[in-house]
Amino acid sequence: MTITCFIRYEIDPFGKAAFEQYARAWGQAIPRCGADLIGYYAPHEGSATTAYAAYDIESLAAYEAYRARLAADPTAKANYEFARREKFILKEDRVFLKRVSGPHGPRQMFHTDVTVREGIGA
């Protein structure tokens, strides 16, 4: 059974660019250390202080081994140091969830989807 780690960040509203840099740096380190990165999400509309990240991992035991590898990874170490130095992350909460729905059917295409994709009405 795969579990998903969701991370909720409270960030400095003036630190959005730094958070985005931080998020991009995890793109190589997280998969290299054993988790399947789903993505990082920075504020776009609404709250200027809430950001998220999500990744899949096989189990809580695999998570513990992953965290040990991450702590030893040079890219991860540098990224942790960047966040500590720049102080754009004010709070970080993790929760581990399991998927209980799916598989889902394909998304239905509607006329408005096609016209926007073709550049009509965009």
Side-chain angles (χ1 to χ4, degrees):
M1 170 187 77
T2 298
I3 57 174
T4 302
C5 178
F6 284 94
I7 307 169
R8 180 187 177 279
Y9 295 95
E10 181 182 333
I11 64 171
D12 180 331
F14 300 104
K16 182 179 164 191
F19 179 80
E20 290 175 4
Q21 179 181 337
Y22 171 82
R24 285 188 298 274
W26 289 120
Q28 298 299 313
I30 288 174
R32 180 173 53 244
C33 291
D36 182 19
L37 180 61
I38 297 166
Y40 274 78
Y41 302 86
H44 179 69
E45 288 292 327
S47 172
T49 61
T50 303
Y52 296 93
Y55 59 87
D56 288 335
I57 196 136
E58 294 81 28
S59 65
L60 289 176
Y63 172 75
E64 294 301 326
Y66 155 78
R67 293 291 293 181
R69 288 188 296 273
L70 205 61
D73 184 86
T75 301
K77 283 182 184 181
N79 212 27
Y80 283 130
E81 177 57 28
F82 170 66
R84 189 195 63 73
R85 183 178 65 250
E86 299 299 319
K87 298 181 173 134
F88 53 88
I89 296 174
L90 307 176
K91 186 177 178 184
E92 181 177 329
D93 294 312
R94 281 178 172 52
V95 62
F96 295 89
L97 303 172
K98 64 180 180 175
R99 184 174 305 173
V100 296
S101 68
H104 305 285
R107 185 173 77 97
Q108 296 296 308
M109 295 297 293
F110 295 94
H111 178 69
T112 56
D113 294 334
V114 173
T115 58
V116 170
R117 199 170 337 136
E118 293 173 353
I120 301 169

